[in-house]
Amino acid sequence: MIKQSYAILGSGAVGGLYGAMLARAGHDVHFLLHSDYEHVREHGWKIESHWGDFDLPQVNAHASIDTVPACDVTLIGLKTVNNHLLPSLLAQPTSQGGVALVLQNGLGVEQSVAELLGAPRVFGGCCFLCSNKVGPGHIRHIDYGRIVFGPYQNSAETLSKAEQICAEMSAAGIEVQTSDDLNMVRWRKLMWNIPFNGLSVALDASTDKLIGNEMSVELIRDIITEVHRAATACGASIDSSWIEKTIDHTRTMKPYDSSMRLDYLAGRTMELQTILKTPIDTAQAAGVPMPKVEMLYQMLCFMATSRQSQSES
């Protein structure tokens, strides 16, 4: 079978890592880049990974979406704060009927892509990994790495397409699995993302500091329990054992700065809407309040506004 081609929108810690692995496996992969375009075009990718380090000296690097060819799969690894760019970014790589795989944090992120392309051409998933872009063209992947994804709209055709993408990613060395319950996948990731992304900023702490303090672990457990309760009300069947599993997995995780904390420290916009506000509103509509999650969201909004005011003064 001919290998599918891939376009990478958002060539950072997620898109850069997985795209480089697909390119190393022989796929035609096209990376849309911004600040490090010149570096990657000249030097390629440097990947440090617990799956194995490698360099990818020859890269299809693009500074503009206009030069990206139509591809079979467009992987969306942009931060959700940039999703207003998707109408202009998706038209070219999906122009020949290709599908989109949305690998972003939060809830409801596939809907806007489905409005652009049609639901059968959209897949969504969550990445359970510790990976950061540490320099131009340089990604450091220190732990985990699994992708769980599935169709936005289930059918025999979309499930078959998901399996094709899964097989190619697996052959490229990526830990990946498919699911026919994207809602469950999203909420289960939120059970980690909401407490650990949010508290890493509010408490100014990396994962090892959060998990190493008895009081913060109590707060983490309370927040995960709220998210689990909301997930159940919103139709996601997640066994309650995942509350403690989420904590235990973080205990064994290598010390890690969350993406939200890195964004905050760098003065970038945090993904508060999709990771916190949309889940809060969705749970509220299902009759389930999340008071501690809402307080966390309010704190982070205050911190973001204060940081913006300081930078403007």
Side-chain angles (χ1 to χ4, degrees), residues 17 52 59 78 98 120-121 124 128 134 187 254 287:
L17 172 66
V59 173
L78 293 170
R121 294 173 63 192
F128 300 82
V134 296
W187 277 104
K254 292 180 181 177

Side-chain angles (χ1 to χ4, degrees), residues 96-158:
Q96 300 299 314
V99 303
L101 173 55
V102 185
L103 296 180
Q104 295 180 307
N105 283 322
L107 192 65
V109 292
E110 292 85 10
Q111 183 176 343
S112 60
V113 182
E115 290 170 358
L116 293 169
L117 302 182
R121 294 173 63 192
V122 178
F123 298 78
C126 294
C127 305
F128 300 82
L129 84 163
C130 302
S131 178
N132 298 124
K133 199 172 193 178
V134 296
H138 186 184
I139 292 172
R140 184 170 295 144
H141 169 218
I142 64 172
D143 211 351
Y144 294 98
R146 178 168 53 98
I147 300 173
V148 182
F149 79 99
Y152 180 64
Q153 183 180 89
N154 288 334
S155 69
E157 183 177 354
T158 59

Side-chain angles (χ1 to χ4, degrees), residues 1 56 66 75 82 114 135 148 152-153 202 213 231 257 279 286 288 291 297:
M1 182 179 292
L56 192 69
D66 295 334
L75 191 156
N82 295 315
V148 182
Y152 180 64
Q153 183 180 89
N213 181 280
D257 269 335
V288 177
Y297 171 70

Side-chain angles (χ1 to χ4, degrees), residues 21-22 31 44 46 49 57 83 199 224 249-250 267 295 313:
M21 294 182 73
L22 285 163
F31 298 87
K46 178 179 178 61
S49 172
N83 277 5
L199 290 175
I224 296 174
H249 287 169
T250 311
M295 178 180 285
S313 61

Side-chain angles (χ1 to χ4, degrees), residues 255-297:
Y256 179 65
D257 269 335
S258 75
S259 60
M260 188 175 286
R261 184 168 187 249
L262 291 175
D263 285 341
Y264 178 75
L265 292 174
R268 297 188 292 263
T269 303
M270 295 182 286
E271 295 181 286
L272 300 182
Q273 178 66 43
T274 56
I275 293 179
L276 288 117
K277 188 63 166 66
T278 300
I280 290 169
D281 292 345
T282 303
Q284 188 68 48
V288 177
M290 292 195 287
K292 291 194 175 182
V293 175
E294 189 159 5
M295 178 180 285
L296 179 59
Y297 171 70

Side-chain angles (χ1 to χ4, degrees), residues 3-276:
K3 292 181 177 180
Q4 296 185 107
S5 57
Y6 288 78
I8 310 297
L9 306 184
S11 301
V14 173
L17 172 66
Y18 295 133
M21 294 182 73
L22 285 163
R24 180 182 60 168
H27 290 272
D28 183 25
V29 181
H30 295 264
F31 298 87
L32 180 64
L33 296 140
H34 296 290
S35 60
D36 56 352
Y37 162 73
E38 293 290 347
H39 180 94
V40 174
R41 183 178 65 85
E42 185 173 349
H43 303 287
W45 286 108
K46 178 179 178 61
I47 308 295
E48 295 178 55
S49 172
H50 74 104
W51 288 338
D53 300 345
F54 67 95
D55 292 330
L56 192 69
Q58 301 298 321
V59 173
N60 294 319
H62 300 265
S64 168
I65 195 64
D66 295 334
T67 64
V68 176
C71 292
D72 298 307
V73 182
T74 297
L75 191 156
I76 301 174
L78 293 170
K79 291 291 181 69
T80 55
V81 298
N82 295 315
N83 277 5
H84 62 283
L85 300 173
L86 287 177
S88 60
L89 293 179
L90 280 172
Q92 175 66 19
T94 64
S95 60
Q96 300 299 314
V99 303
L101 173 55
V102 185
L103 296 180
Q104 295 180 307
N105 283 322
L107 192 65
V109 292
E110 292 85 10
Q111 183 176 343
S112 60
V113 182
E115 290 170 358
L116 293 169
L117 302 182
R121 294 173 63 192
V122 178
F123 298 78
C126 294
C127 305
F128 300 82
L129 84 163
C130 302
S131 178
N132 298 124
K133 199 172 193 178
V134 296
H138 186 184
I139 292 172
R140 184 170 295 144
H141 169 218
I142 64 172
D143 211 351
Y144 294 98
R146 178 168 53 98
I147 300 173
V148 182
F149 79 99
Y152 180 64
Q153 183 180 89
N154 288 334
S155 69
E157 183 177 354
T158 59
L159 288 168
S160 175
K161 184 68 170 181
E163 291 299 334
Q164 182 186 3
I165 297 170
C166 183
E168 291 188 336
M169 287 186 162
S170 181
I174 300 167
E175 184 183 352
V176 58
Q177 66 185 68
T178 59
S179 173
D180 61 0
D181 191 348
L182 185 54
N183 183 52
M184 179 275 293
V185 172
R186 286 279 173 207
W187 277 104
R188 194 167 76 186
K189 179 66 184 293
L190 287 168
M191 289 172 67
W192 192 92
N193 261 346
I194 289 177
F196 287 101
N197 266 289
L199 290 175
S200 70
V201 177
L203 300 181
D204 189 24
S206 54
T207 56
D208 56 318
K209 299 295 192 301
L210 291 173
I211 211 69
N213 181 280
E214 182 179 341
M215 296 306 295
S216 60
V217 170
E218 285 188 22
L219 179 56
I220 288 164
R221 183 176 289 108
D222 289 345
I223 291 174
I224 296 174
T225 301
E226 281 190 3
V227 179
H228 180 263
R229 189 180 303 121
T232 301
C234 294
S237 180
I238 303 172
D239 193 272
S240 60
S241 64
W242 276 99
I243 296 171
E244 291 303 320
K245 283 181 181 179
T246 303
I247 295 172
D248 291 340
H249 287 169
T250 311
R251 281 199 179 98
T252 61
M253 180 187 293
K254 292 180 181 177
Y256 179 65
D257 269 335
S258 75
S259 60
M260 188 175 286
R261 184 168 187 249
L262 291 175
D263 285 341
Y264 178 75
L265 292 174
R268 297 188 292 263
T269 303
M270 295 182 286
E271 295 181 286
L272 300 182
Q273 178 66 43
T274 56
I275 293 179
L276 288 117

